Amino acid sequence: MEMRAVYAQCLGELMEQDEKICLLDADLSKASGTRGLYDRFPDRTFNCGIAEQNMASVAAGLASYGFKPWIESFAPFATRRICDQITLSIAYAGRNVKIVGTDPGITAELNGGTHMSFEDISVVRAIPGMVIFEPVDEVQLRAAMPVLNAYEGCLYLRLARKEMPRVFGDDYRFDLFRADTLREGSDVTVLTSGYPTADVLAVAEELAGEGLSCHVVNVHTIKPIDRETVVAAARKTGVAVTVENHNVIGGLHSAVLEALAHERIPVYAVGIEDRFGEVGKLPYLRQAMGLTPEHIKAVIKEAASAK
Amino acid sequence: MQEDLKALCRDLRCDIMTAIGHLGVGHAGGSLSIVELLAVLYFKEMHIDPARPDMPGRDRFICSKGHAGPAVYAALARRGYFPRDLLMTLNQGGTSLPSHCDMLRTPGIDMTTGSLGQGFSCAVGVALGSRLAGDGATVYTVIGDGESQEGQIWEAAMLAGNKHLDNLIAFTDYNKLQIDDPVALINDIAPLGAKWRAFGWHVIEVEDGNDVDQVAQAVALAKRNRGSGKPTMVILHTVKGCGVSFIIERGCGNHNTKVTEEEARRAVAEIRGEA
């Protein structure tokens, strides 16, 4: 299933159970997969029109009335465009609002550079108290949705809209504040989130065949980062690589560096090298932005040889 | 509760000037201009209980021009939300009365404001929330005239009109001055009433927004619009710094201005008619 369909289905189920949940859009409910919720819950869905700033502050107002608003837009408009509204109306005012940014990073594909957020995590991470969660696949998203709704506070859900390769099995148990170890290994620690995770696992499998053992951790919650798991994983191999669909400045790489600041452990980065996006399909964009499995593999090997 | 609203307005002005004078600096102009509005809302119209600042179903007031915190604090103190002594901690480190309104710090503050344009949007969200909850509350909010240059104000105005929020009564503190220059010189907002009407609002113009009787009459009129399917904008033509001549004389400079304790004493004497 597409991630947006899973998200909309889960949100619909939650709205059935929890009458406090409201949904707000800025003319992208169809893109987010939630258009159907407007028919099912006409009282608790508000399409604010193309006015993201207003949507964010209106959500804060609803939250001050005890409602639990979820607001949606493409990732850049759900974050950088409304950074001040998130910061003041929502976070500084301590409002319980969920912010959903879709099509993060290169998954924006044909919408191109204007819609391709490589900075959204960085923007949101700088706001005190924010939680940032980026799901890998539908299993993780399904497990997470009730937990996200139950979390009282301001949270950013960085959501790919399209179908994502399955990473987790049906027995998956989700903890919002605990990173998931996907593969035990001894040579190199690889920390990743969201879109590149399946590629990282495939690369780790290939490398195992070549005699290199990867320890792979899915850091689904980038803030607050699970320092304990990240530090233990990095110590285990003595070298780490971060892989992310985001600028290497301000995102997962930075969060991991901060967590490992007192460790003498080198950390290599795979991610967007401080540049803007552009139009293209995923195969082109992965190549152009340095997110191919080949590149991930090369960096992991470089990290292993540097030990 | 004080029955004589004119006397109350004098008290509020004295409290504002004394608090700002104690600190030495503050947003005097835009605090003094909304005193009559606060007197009418907090002491005549709003269904609130100072002993229960979080009372469900209470009417709400959102000061979107968050820098008028000193005026709101003076009203809250006189209304019994906290002791008046607390006003002397205004804007000092560790205070519960920061320069701009903060709902997490101050009992009685219904929304955190300060980044202009946002409080008004929040008020629209609160009005939607009240309607959804079906509690019959009225949501009041005041925006600045300079603040009306923010695009977010008009995003929210459009939504409130289209959502038929007749439980929302907004005010514009139309004192004609902003920090750098008169509003009309910088980026004029006139014709203001026509703009709000075009966005689907009732508009009531109050010729003298610093005449408490005129303000009271306008609010009573605005409340009658409930059930009409339209929110109401009450445009208050006010004087920035009203009641204190040396503050008025500073013109645009009175937005955030130095006030010594001696000046505060002079202001109090003038307000009390002793000068």
Side-chain angles (χ1 to χ4, degrees), chain B residues 49-131:
Chain B
D49 180 359
R52 292 191 298 157
D54 298 328
M55 179 178 73
R58 71 191 185 279
D59 290 341
R60 314 276 177 128
F61 174 71
I62 294 156
C63 188
S64 191
K65 42 172 284 179
H67 53 274
V72 185
Y73 306 148
L76 290 173
R78 290 269 174 186
R79 189 69 174 79
Y81 281 85
F82 45 80
R84 275 174 57 222
D85 294 354
L86 202 63
L87 297 176
M88 293 305 112
T89 71
L90 175 69
N91 219 8
Q92 294 183 22
T95 186
S96 56
L97 305 178
S99 58
H100 296 74
C101 297
D102 187 329
M103 67 193 296
L104 301 181
R105 292 180 192 272
T106 314
I109 292 292
D110 286 322
M111 185 52 70
T112 297
T113 53
S115 186
L116 294 177
Q118 295 187 29
F120 180 59
S121 278
C122 293
V124 171
V126 171
L128 282 169
S130 172
R131 188 164 74 182

Side-chain angles (χ1 to χ4, degrees), chain A residues 25 33 52 167 174:
Chain A
D25 276 279
E52 295 82 3
V167 165
F174 176 73

Side-chain angles (χ1 to χ4, degrees), chain B residues 116-269:
Chain B
L116 294 177
Q118 295 187 29
F120 180 59
S121 278
C122 293
V124 171
V126 171
L128 282 169
S130 172
R131 188 164 74 182
L132 202 49
D135 64 4
T138 302
V139 180
Y140 299 94
T141 181
V142 63
I143 61 181
D145 48 5
E147 183 182 11
S148 305
Q149 292 160 344
E150 290 279 6
Q152 188 171 354
I153 291 290
W154 302 101
E155 293 180 1
M158 195 185 296
L159 189 72
N162 285 324
K163 297 289 180 197
H164 310 292
L165 292 176
D166 57 12
N167 57 346
L168 176 64
I169 300 176
F171 303 85
T172 300
D173 177 22
Y174 204 178
N175 59 43
K176 319 293 189 299
L177 300 178
Q178 59 189 112
I179 296 175
D180 278 354
D181 266 318
V183 175
L185 282 186
I186 288 189
N187 191 16
D188 201 2
I189 61 172
L192 193 57
K195 285 188 177 70
W196 286 96
R197 275 186 209 98
F199 278 76
W201 288 58
H202 294 289
V203 173
I204 299 172
E205 297 250 2
V206 176
E207 198 178 323
D208 184 353
N210 296 121
D211 177 333
V212 78
D213 294 329
Q214 287 187 36
V215 176
Q217 212 175 355
V219 175
L221 211 60
K223 286 179 84 169
R224 279 196 243 150
N225 288 333
R226 198 171 187 117
S228 72
K230 283 182 174 189
T232 300
M233 166 53 73
V234 181
I235 298 172
L236 301 170
H237 293 270
T238 57
V239 172
K240 200 163 182 176
C242 184
V244 183
S245 49
F246 72 86
I247 296 289
I248 296 173
E249 283 158 16
R250 290 178 191 178
C252 291
N254 78 19
H255 180 80
N256 190 19
T257 188
K258 284 183 182 166
V259 177
T260 64
E261 289 199 274
E262 169 52 28
E263 284 173 325
R265 276 192 289 274
R266 260 204 292 142
V268 168

Side-chain angles (χ1 to χ4, degrees), chain A:
Chain A
M1 257 171 100
E2 285 196 327
M3 291 292 272
R4 62 177 163 182
V6 174
Y7 158 72
Q9 189 182 65
C10 293
L11 189 58
E13 285 165 11
L14 289 167
M15 288 179 83
E16 294 278 4
Q17 300 155 16
D18 185 344
E19 291 185 348
K20 293 291 182 191
I21 300 174
C22 297
L23 174 65
L24 289 85
D25 276 279
D27 197 33
L28 284 176
S29 70
K30 285 182 186 165
S32 304
T34 52
R35 181 66 186 84
L37 298 178
Y38 280 73
D39 300 325
R40 281 170 66 192
F41 306 100
D43 293 343
R44 290 187 278 145
T45 45
F46 305 97
N47 201 327
C48 300
I50 306 167
E52 295 82 3
Q53 303 176 133
N54 184 46
M55 171 174 71
S57 296
V58 165
L62 280 163
S64 84
Y65 232 91
F67 291 101
K68 300 175 182 175
W70 290 58
I71 66 174
E72 307 175 332
S73 187
F74 288 139
F77 312 132
T79 57
R80 68 166 189 239
R81 183 173 181 121
I82 57 170
C83 181
D84 192 44
Q85 283 74 16
I86 297 175
T87 306
L88 292 177
S89 289
I90 298 175
Y92 181 70
R95 299 302 87 198
N96 180 13
V97 176
K98 307 295 178 286
I99 299 158
V100 184
T102 64
D103 266 6
I106 62 171
T107 68
E109 292 195 289
L110 300 187
N111 272 330
T114 55
H115 290 50
M116 201 165 281
S117 60
F118 295 146
E119 69 291 301
D120 53 317
I121 293 175
S122 181
V123 166
V124 175
R125 213 162 67 85
I127 302 170
M130 296 284 304
V131 171
I132 303 172
F133 168 66
E134 182 178 36
V136 165
D137 70 359
E138 89 171 67
V139 175
Q140 192 177 50
L141 179 59
R142 276 186 202 285
M145 284 295 286
V147 180
L148 306 187
N149 186 55
Y151 175 75
E152 277 205 34
C154 188
L155 181 146
Y156 173 49
L157 166 58
R158 190 180 203 243
L159 182 70
R161 289 196 294 157
K162 298 194 176 146
E163 192 159 351
M164 299 272 274
R166 278 282 283 269
V167 165
F168 292 98
D170 293 333
D171 59 343
Y172 176 58
R173 289 176 70 91
F174 176 73
D175 183 335
L176 180 57
F177 300 113
R178 274 276 170 217
D180 291 311
T181 301
L182 301 180
R183 184 184 177 106
E184 296 284 347
S186 53
D187 293 328
V188 177
T189 296
V190 187
L191 304 146
T192 186
S193 78
Y195 172 74
T197 304
D199 283 341
V200 166
L201 283 174
V203 165
E205 186 63 27
E206 271 181 46
L207 286 170
E210 296 172 25
L212 199 153
S213 166
C214 293
H215 185 83
V216 181
V217 177
N218 170 227
V219 186
H220 52 68
T221 298
I222 294 130
K223 185 182 177 184
I225 196 164
D226 176 3
R227 178 184 296 266
E228 195 184 328
T229 300
V230 168
V231 169
R235 279 182 184 165
K236 187 177 177 193
T237 67
V239 64
V241 178
T242 57
V243 184
E244 64 190 309
N245 174 26
H246 187 277
N247 195 331
V248 294
I249 298 172
L252 176 65
H253 185 63
S254 297
V256 167
L257 287 179
E258 289 158 19
L260 296 177
H262 298 289
E263 308 291 322
R264 293 173 188 276
I265 296 173
V267 185
Y268 290 70
V270 176
I272 314 304
E273 294 289 344
D274 200 28
R275 55 161 295 180
F276 290 110
E278 58 181 295
V279 292
K281 292 276 199 181
L282 277 175
Y284 169 80
L285 290 168
R286 281 166 20 143
Q287 193 71 44
M289 304 294 164
L291 278 177
T292 58
E294 295 73 28
H295 183 62
I296 295 169
K297 192 172 173 180
V299 175
I300 293 173
K301 280 179 154 178
E302 187 190 347
S305 66
K307 271 173 73 174

